[in-house]
Amino acid sequence: MKKGRSHPNQLQIDFLAAFRQMLISLGSSENLPVNESLFMRMTDQWENTRAMPADLLFTKSPIEAIVFRLQKANLEGEAGRLRFPAELIAGEIRGEKGLTGFSAKFREQGWIILPAELSAMYKNLFLNILAASIGLEYLYPVRKDLLAEAERVALAAMLPEAEVRKFFGLRLSRFPDSFRSEVANYFNLPFDYVLKRANHLGMVSEQVIEESRSVTQPLRASVLRRPQSSRAA
Protein backbone atom coordinates (compact mmCIF):
# COMPACT_ATOMS: atom_id res chain seq x y z
CA MET A 1 0.00 0.00 0.00
CA LYS A 2 1.34 3.44 -0.91
CA LYS A 3 2.03 5.85 1.91
CA GLY A 4 1.56 9.59 2.15
CA ARG A 5 -1.72 9.90 0.24
CA SER A 6 -3.41 13.23 0.89
CA HIS A 7 -6.69 12.90 -1.02
CA PRO A 8 -9.46 13.57 1.56
CA ASN A 9 -11.60 10.72 0.27
CA GLN A 10 -8.81 8.19 0.04
CA LEU A 11 -9.47 6.63 3.43
CA GLN A 12 -13.05 5.82 2.47
CA ILE A 13 -11.93 4.58 -0.95
CA ASP A 14 -9.46 2.23 0.72
CA PHE A 15 -12.16 0.84 2.97
CA LEU A 16 -14.46 0.18 0.05
CA ALA A 17 -11.78 -2.03 -1.49
CA ALA A 18 -12.67 -5.70 -1.37
CA PHE A 19 -9.63 -6.67 0.69
CA ARG A 20 -10.25 -4.19 3.55
CA GLN A 21 -13.83 -3.32 4.35
CA MET A 22 -15.51 -1.89 7.43
CA LEU A 23 -18.87 -3.58 7.99
CA ILE A 24 -20.41 -2.19 11.18
CA SER A 25 -19.05 0.76 13.17
CA LEU A 26 -20.74 1.14 16.55
CA GLY A 27 -21.53 4.58 17.92
CA SER A 28 -22.09 7.74 15.86
CA SER A 29 -20.55 9.04 12.66
CA GLU A 30 -17.95 10.84 14.80
CA ASN A 31 -16.60 7.47 15.95
CA LEU A 32 -16.27 6.04 12.44
CA PRO A 33 -12.90 7.71 11.63
CA VAL A 34 -11.46 6.44 14.94
CA ASN A 35 -12.62 2.89 14.26
CA GLU A 36 -11.36 3.02 10.66
CA SER A 37 -8.00 4.46 11.67
CA LEU A 38 -7.43 1.70 14.23
CA PHE A 39 -8.44 -0.94 11.72
CA MET A 40 -5.98 0.51 9.19
CA ARG A 41 -3.13 0.43 11.74
CA MET A 42 -3.88 -3.10 12.87
CA THR A 43 -4.31 -4.57 9.41
CA ASP A 44 -1.19 -2.79 8.12
CA GLN A 45 0.83 -4.41 10.89
CA TRP A 46 -0.87 -7.76 10.40
CA GLU A 47 -0.09 -7.61 6.70
CA ASN A 48 3.57 -6.90 7.40
CA THR A 49 4.27 -9.09 10.44
CA ARG A 50 1.23 -11.36 11.03
CA ALA A 51 1.21 -9.98 14.60
CA MET A 52 -0.82 -7.47 16.57
CA PRO A 53 0.91 -4.29 17.80
CA ALA A 54 2.12 -5.02 21.36
CA ASP A 55 1.02 -1.62 22.69
CA LEU A 56 -2.60 -2.28 21.68
CA LEU A 57 -3.04 -4.90 24.43
CA PHE A 58 -4.89 -7.28 22.15
CA THR A 59 -6.85 -9.97 23.99
CA LYS A 60 -8.52 -13.07 22.53
CA SER A 61 -12.29 -13.19 22.93
CA PRO A 62 -14.67 -16.19 23.08
CA ILE A 63 -15.63 -15.69 19.44
CA GLU A 64 -15.71 -19.41 18.57
CA ALA A 65 -18.45 -20.12 21.12
CA ILE A 66 -20.47 -17.14 19.91
CA VAL A 67 -20.23 -18.21 16.27
CA PHE A 68 -21.28 -21.74 17.22
CA ARG A 69 -24.36 -20.45 19.04
CA LEU A 70 -25.31 -18.13 16.17
CA GLN A 71 -24.95 -20.91 13.62
CA LYS A 72 -26.93 -23.38 15.73
CA ALA A 73 -29.81 -20.93 16.22
CA ASN A 74 -29.70 -19.92 12.56
CA LEU A 75 -29.76 -23.49 11.27
CA GLU A 76 -32.77 -24.23 13.42
CA GLY A 77 -34.65 -21.14 12.29
CA GLU A 78 -33.58 -19.93 8.85
CA ALA A 79 -31.78 -22.65 6.90
CA GLY A 80 -28.24 -21.52 7.50
CA ARG A 81 -28.05 -17.96 6.19
CA LEU A 82 -24.89 -17.16 8.15
CA ARG A 83 -21.59 -17.59 6.30
CA PHE A 84 -18.40 -17.06 8.28
CA PRO A 85 -14.84 -16.89 6.96
CA ALA A 86 -12.47 -19.64 8.03
CA GLU A 87 -10.50 -17.23 10.23
CA LEU A 88 -11.95 -14.75 12.72
CA ILE A 89 -9.85 -12.25 14.69
CA ALA A 90 -11.62 -10.75 17.68
CA GLY A 91 -10.49 -8.97 20.81
CA GLU A 92 -10.35 -5.90 23.03
CA ILE A 93 -8.23 -2.77 22.90
CA ARG A 94 -7.57 -0.62 25.97
CA GLY A 95 -7.02 3.12 26.00
CA GLU A 96 -8.05 3.97 22.43
CA LYS A 97 -9.87 7.30 22.77
CA GLY A 98 -13.08 7.40 20.75
CA LEU A 99 -13.09 3.68 19.92
CA THR A 100 -16.60 2.25 20.04
CA GLY A 101 -16.05 -1.09 18.33
CA PHE A 102 -16.50 -2.46 14.83
CA SER A 103 -16.72 -5.49 12.60
CA ALA A 104 -14.78 -5.68 9.35
CA LYS A 105 -13.32 -7.95 6.70
CA PHE A 106 -9.65 -8.04 5.77
CA ARG A 107 -8.84 -10.27 2.83
CA GLU A 108 -10.34 -13.65 3.88
CA GLN A 109 -10.58 -12.81 7.60
CA GLY A 110 -13.39 -11.48 9.75
CA TRP A 111 -12.38 -8.87 12.37
CA ILE A 112 -14.19 -7.77 15.55
CA ILE A 113 -12.61 -5.16 17.79
CA LEU A 114 -14.15 -3.68 20.97
CA PRO A 115 -12.89 -1.28 23.64
CA ALA A 116 -11.78 -3.16 26.76
CA GLU A 117 -13.53 -0.58 28.95
CA LEU A 118 -16.99 -1.92 28.07
CA SER A 119 -18.94 -3.69 30.80
CA ALA A 120 -19.28 -7.47 30.46
CA MET A 121 -22.96 -7.07 29.59
CA TYR A 122 -22.34 -4.81 26.61
CA LYS A 123 -19.22 -6.67 25.55
CA ASN A 124 -21.15 -9.93 25.21
CA LEU A 125 -24.01 -8.19 23.39
CA PHE A 126 -21.80 -6.37 20.89
CA LEU A 127 -19.65 -9.44 20.22
CA ASN A 128 -22.79 -11.31 19.21
CA ILE A 129 -24.11 -8.49 17.02
CA LEU A 130 -20.79 -7.85 15.31
CA ALA A 131 -20.20 -11.56 14.75
CA ALA A 132 -23.63 -11.86 13.16
CA SER A 133 -22.81 -8.93 10.87
CA ILE A 134 -19.81 -10.82 9.49
CA GLY A 135 -21.94 -13.86 8.77
CA LEU A 136 -24.60 -11.77 7.03
CA GLU A 137 -22.53 -9.19 5.13
CA TYR A 138 -22.85 -11.02 1.80
CA LEU A 139 -26.62 -10.45 1.93
CA TYR A 140 -26.73 -6.82 3.13
CA PRO A 141 -24.42 -4.34 1.34
CA VAL A 142 -26.06 -1.34 3.07
CA ARG A 143 -24.63 -0.83 6.57
CA LYS A 144 -27.92 0.27 8.12
CA ASP A 145 -29.70 -2.84 6.86
CA LEU A 146 -26.81 -5.07 7.92
CA LEU A 147 -26.84 -3.69 11.48
CA ALA A 148 -30.60 -4.13 11.81
CA GLU A 149 -30.49 -7.75 10.64
CA ALA A 150 -27.38 -8.54 12.70
CA GLU A 151 -29.17 -7.25 15.80
CA ARG A 152 -32.23 -9.35 15.00
CA VAL A 153 -30.22 -12.54 14.44
CA ALA A 154 -27.99 -12.01 17.51
CA LEU A 155 -30.90 -11.26 19.83
CA ALA A 156 -32.82 -14.29 18.55
CA ALA A 157 -29.86 -16.50 19.49
CA MET A 158 -29.41 -14.88 22.91
CA LEU A 159 -33.06 -14.47 23.92
CA PRO A 160 -35.33 -17.50 23.35
CA GLU A 161 -38.92 -16.56 22.63
CA ALA A 162 -40.32 -18.52 25.58
CA GLU A 163 -38.09 -16.64 28.02
CA VAL A 164 -39.02 -13.23 26.59
CA ARG A 165 -42.73 -14.03 26.82
CA LYS A 166 -42.39 -14.49 30.57
CA PHE A 167 -41.98 -10.73 30.77
CA PHE A 168 -43.76 -9.38 27.69
CA GLY A 169 -46.56 -11.88 27.18
CA LEU A 170 -49.14 -9.39 28.47
CA ARG A 171 -48.27 -6.83 25.75
CA LEU A 172 -47.05 -4.22 28.21
CA SER A 173 -46.72 -0.63 27.01
CA ARG A 174 -45.11 1.13 29.99
CA PHE A 175 -41.90 0.15 31.76
CA PRO A 176 -40.94 1.62 35.16
CA ASP A 177 -37.36 1.47 36.40
CA SER A 178 -38.08 -1.55 38.60
CA PHE A 179 -39.31 -3.56 35.61
CA ARG A 180 -36.38 -2.47 33.43
CA SER A 181 -33.92 -3.48 36.12
CA GLU A 182 -35.58 -6.85 36.68
CA VAL A 183 -35.53 -7.68 32.96
CA ALA A 184 -31.93 -6.52 32.46
CA ASN A 185 -30.72 -8.54 35.45
CA TYR A 186 -32.64 -11.63 34.40
CA PHE A 187 -31.15 -11.74 30.89
CA ASN A 188 -27.87 -9.99 31.73
CA LEU A 189 -28.51 -7.67 28.78
CA PRO A 190 -29.45 -3.99 28.48
CA PHE A 191 -33.22 -3.55 28.75
CA ASP A 192 -33.51 -1.66 25.44
CA TYR A 193 -32.13 -4.67 23.55
CA VAL A 194 -34.48 -7.10 25.28
CA LEU A 195 -37.26 -4.71 24.25
CA LYS A 196 -36.02 -4.90 20.66
CA ARG A 197 -36.28 -8.68 20.79
CA ALA A 198 -39.84 -8.38 22.10
CA ASN A 199 -40.57 -6.07 19.16
CA HIS A 200 -39.12 -8.58 16.69
CA LEU A 201 -41.48 -11.18 18.16
CA GLY A 202 -44.49 -8.88 17.81
CA MET A 203 -44.95 -8.44 21.57
CA VAL A 204 -44.12 -4.72 21.60
CA SER A 205 -44.90 -2.12 18.93
CA GLU A 206 -42.47 0.39 17.41
CA GLN A 207 -44.50 3.18 19.01
CA VAL A 208 -44.02 1.65 22.47
CA ILE A 209 -40.27 1.44 21.88
CA GLU A 210 -40.11 5.09 20.87
CA GLU A 211 -42.12 6.13 23.92
CA SER A 212 -39.93 4.05 26.24
CA ARG A 213 -36.84 5.86 24.99
CA SER A 214 -38.22 9.28 25.83
CA VAL A 215 -39.91 8.73 29.18
CA THR A 216 -40.17 6.17 31.96
CA GLN A 217 -43.83 5.67 32.80
CA PRO A 218 -45.49 3.87 35.74
CA LEU A 219 -46.87 0.36 35.40
CA ARG A 220 -49.53 -1.32 37.52
CA ALA A 221 -47.91 -3.74 39.94
CA SER A 222 -50.44 -6.42 39.07
CA VAL A 223 -48.92 -7.04 35.64
CA LEU A 224 -45.36 -7.57 36.89
CA ARG A 225 -44.43 -11.24 36.98
CA ARG A 226 -41.14 -12.84 37.99
CA PRO A 227 -40.28 -15.99 36.01
CA GLN A 228 -39.70 -19.15 37.96
CA SER A 229 -36.09 -19.47 36.82
CA SER A 230 -33.35 -17.07 35.78
CA ARG A 231 -31.28 -17.09 32.62
CA ALA A 232 -27.98 -15.39 31.75
CA ALA A 233 -27.52 -14.50 28.10
Side-chain angles (χ1 to χ4, degrees):
M1 180 180 296
K2 295 180 180 179
K3 304 295 182 181
R5 291 170 173 161
S6 59
H7 194 290
N9 294 324
Q10 192 60 54
L11 181 64
Q12 185 63 26
I13 291 172
D14 284 345
F15 272 85
L16 291 175
F19 71 92
R20 179 153 45 186
Q21 181 183 8
M22 182 74 70
L23 300 179
I24 297 298
S25 174
L26 299 177
S28 67
S29 59
E30 297 177 353
N31 303 112
L32 178 59
V34 177
N35 292 338
E36 287 185 336
S37 177
L38 176 61
F39 184 44
M40 288 279 285
R41 286 158 49 200
M42 296 179 73
T43 50
D44 278 348
Q45 177 143 351
W46 180 264
E47 183 82 343
N48 294 329
T49 67
R50 293 296 188 272
M52 292 293 125
D55 61 343
L56 290 176
L57 301 177
F58 192 82
T59 305
K60 185 67 176 175
S61 75
I63 189 64
E64 292 85 1
I66 288 173
V67 168
F68 176 81
R69 177 168 62 180
L70 288 171
Q71 288 178 318
K72 183 176 184 295
N74 195 241
L75 284 170
E76 291 174 353
E78 300 181 45
R81 294 167 64 233
L82 295 173
R83 297 180 184 175
F84 291 99
E87 185 174 7
L88 289 171
I89 293 177
E92 309 161 12
I93 305 298
R94 187 176 302 281
E96 281 287 329
K97 185 176 181 181
L99 173 67
T100 52
F102 61 85
S103 62
K105 293 195 73 175
F106 179 60
R107 299 194 183 278
E108 301 302 318
Q109 301 168 337
W111 285 58
I112 299 173
I113 304 298
L114 289 171
E117 292 79 6
L118 282 174
S119 68
M121 177 187 291
Y122 277 96
K123 197 173 295 180
N124 181 46
L125 171 67
F126 292 154
L127 274 172
N128 277 268
I129 292 174
L130 294 177
S133 75
I134 292 176
L136 292 164
E137 62 88 17
Y138 76 102
L139 289 173
Y140 297 90
V142 178
R143 286 182 181 180
K144 180 179 179 182
D145 296 339
L146 177 59
L147 175 58
E149 184 63 9
E151 285 186 347
R152 190 190 69 78
V153 168
L155 293 175
M158 301 174 77
L159 298 169
E161 180 176 351
E163 294 291 307
V164 177
R165 286 195 182 278
K166 291 178 181 179
F167 286 97
F168 295 95
L170 296 178
R171 293 187 177 273
L172 308 181
S173 61
R174 295 179 174 84
F175 312 102
D177 290 345
S178 59
F179 181 78
R180 291 167 181 262
S181 178
E182 182 180 8
V183 171
N185 290 335
Y186 180 83
F187 291 109
N188 194 28
L189 286 172
F191 175 79
D192 288 346
Y193 282 89
V194 182
L195 195 61
K196 279 188 178 184
R197 171 62 169 153
N199 172 251
H200 296 159
L201 293 168
M203 302 175 192
V204 174
S205 69
E206 291 286 349
Q207 180 180 352
V208 168
I209 289 181
E210 289 300 320
E211 291 175 353
S212 76
R213 289 171 180 166
S214 60
V215 64
T216 300
Q217 299 171 312
L219 183 71
R220 296 193 309 275
S222 60
V223 301
L224 283 175
R225 296 187 302 164
R226 175 176 291 278
Q228 296 301 309
S229 62
S230 62
R231 171 187 172 84

